[in-house]
Amino acid sequence: QALPYIRCVGDSWPMTRERAYFEASALREHGRLCPDHVPEVYHFDRAMSLIGMRYIKPPHIILRKGLIAGVEYPLLAEHMADYMAKTLFFTSLLYNSTTEHKKQVARYCENVEMCRLTEQVVFSDPYMVSKYNRWNSPLLDKDAEAVREDDGLKLEIAELKSMFIERAQALIHGDLHTGSIMVTPDSTQVIDPEFAFYAPMGYDIGAFLGNLILAYFAQDGHADQANDRKAYKQWILKTIEESWNLFQQKFLGLWNKHKDGNGEAYLPAIYNNPELLSVVQKKYMTGLLHDSLGFGSAKMIRRIVGIAHVEDFDSIEDASKRASCERRALDCGKAILKGRRQFESIEQVIALVQSVTHD
């Protein structure tokens, strides 16, 4: 049931209960497109903001907790690539007519309060003095200040904020971090899409990949005598790489399969030879990678110097060890955000992540 305030802040920050309507709608829509990875909605009561849905039973746990514990999920990349490819492709103009698309965009535009929350906490607060910001103080005081004084970063974030607000590319989950995914070694279930609306696809892809990068940088804080976490860090990097590469493969597979369908972005009468279509697809996927890296790195930055942090770091008890992990993640996020257009493959991104060393 949706509460009339933000759960992690309390009743001092009121929040519309109408978000439950959009959560139920997105669960149903995404569930229709990808039933293997979205729990069924059995009942929705709009007046009570109440959703009755499938209980995702044990041993499923929140992915973030599994990543903190160092558990490998061999099918995670495959499952998430499948979920993202299907939910994003089938709600885009690559598959739908503009008439259908605009109708859905108009419907989800009503979820404006949740969009405004994202605009504030992801694209605005971290770059200014705000009472909601918090960080590992005093150890990261200088780092937080550096974010607020970085003109290059501010130019990039302005562009991403505009894109997030203006570009109705597909029906996104809107909060696809590792706390919105429940897993076992052979099952992956995506929950909690209360921020859903039509927005850039890269926001979802970036949220997932960016949170995996945060998990990677947190590992050193969870290492101990029994387990140095080195092998696990490599597994996380492999999962990031596979998630993007499998997503790209599946997404292009759907595009090719439906290229003569109702989609109105690239009319078959115009894009009527395989060479041209191939160039169009390469350009589209490169743009999507850059968008994903931009949004993903913005999400990384806000989790370190903004209002809502991640348990990956917060559960590291030693404050200086925690600061060291957070600083590397922050430096990595800033580097990706500013340099995202130079990457041509996910492997190049992984190389950058690995190059960010101890301070």
Side-chain angles (χ1 to χ4, degrees), residues 156 159 282 285-294 297 331-353 355-356:
E156 295 298 340
E159 205 171 299
K282 188 173 188 325
M285 297 314 288
T286 301
L288 187 46
L289 176 64
H290 295 166
D291 293 351
S292 303
L293 295 174
S297 52
D331 289 346
C332 179
K334 294 197 294 188
I336 293 174
L337 185 53
K338 290 175 177 173
R340 67 187 183 280
R341 293 177 195 84
Q342 73 203 26
F343 297 104
E344 284 167 38
S345 69
I346 195 71
E347 289 78 8
Q348 292 172 350
V349 182
I350 303 287
L352 171 70
V353 171
S355 75
V356 179

Side-chain angles (χ1 to χ4, degrees), residues 5 35 75 140 143 175 189-190 199 215 240 258 261-262 310 327 331:
Y5 54 81
L75 297 175
L140 292 186
D143 303 81
D175 201 24
Q189 303 290 310
V190 178
I240 293 167
H258 297 284
N262 299 324
V310 290
R327 182 173 292 118
D331 289 346

Side-chain angles (χ1 to χ4, degrees), residues 88 91-93 101 167-171 198-202 284 288 291:
L88 298 174
T91 59
S92 77
L93 285 167
H101 189 78
R167 189 168 190 206
Q169 195 176 21
L171 177 60
Y198 274 73
M201 297 178 184
Y284 192 100
L288 187 46
D291 293 351

Side-chain angles (χ1 to χ4, degrees), residues 154-167:
K154 290 177 180 183
L155 288 170
E156 295 298 340
I157 210 71
E159 205 171 299
L160 289 164
K161 183 178 183 178
S162 289
M163 199 197 304
F164 177 79
I165 297 165
E166 297 157 1
R167 189 168 190 206

Side-chain angles (χ1 to χ4, degrees), residues 48-65:
M48 293 296 290
S49 320
L50 186 119
I51 301 173
M53 60 195 277
R54 174 161 58 84
Y55 174 52
I56 302 172
K57 56 184 188 286
H60 283 89
I61 59 167
I62 293 289
L63 173 57
R64 194 182 299 285
K65 293 192 182 291

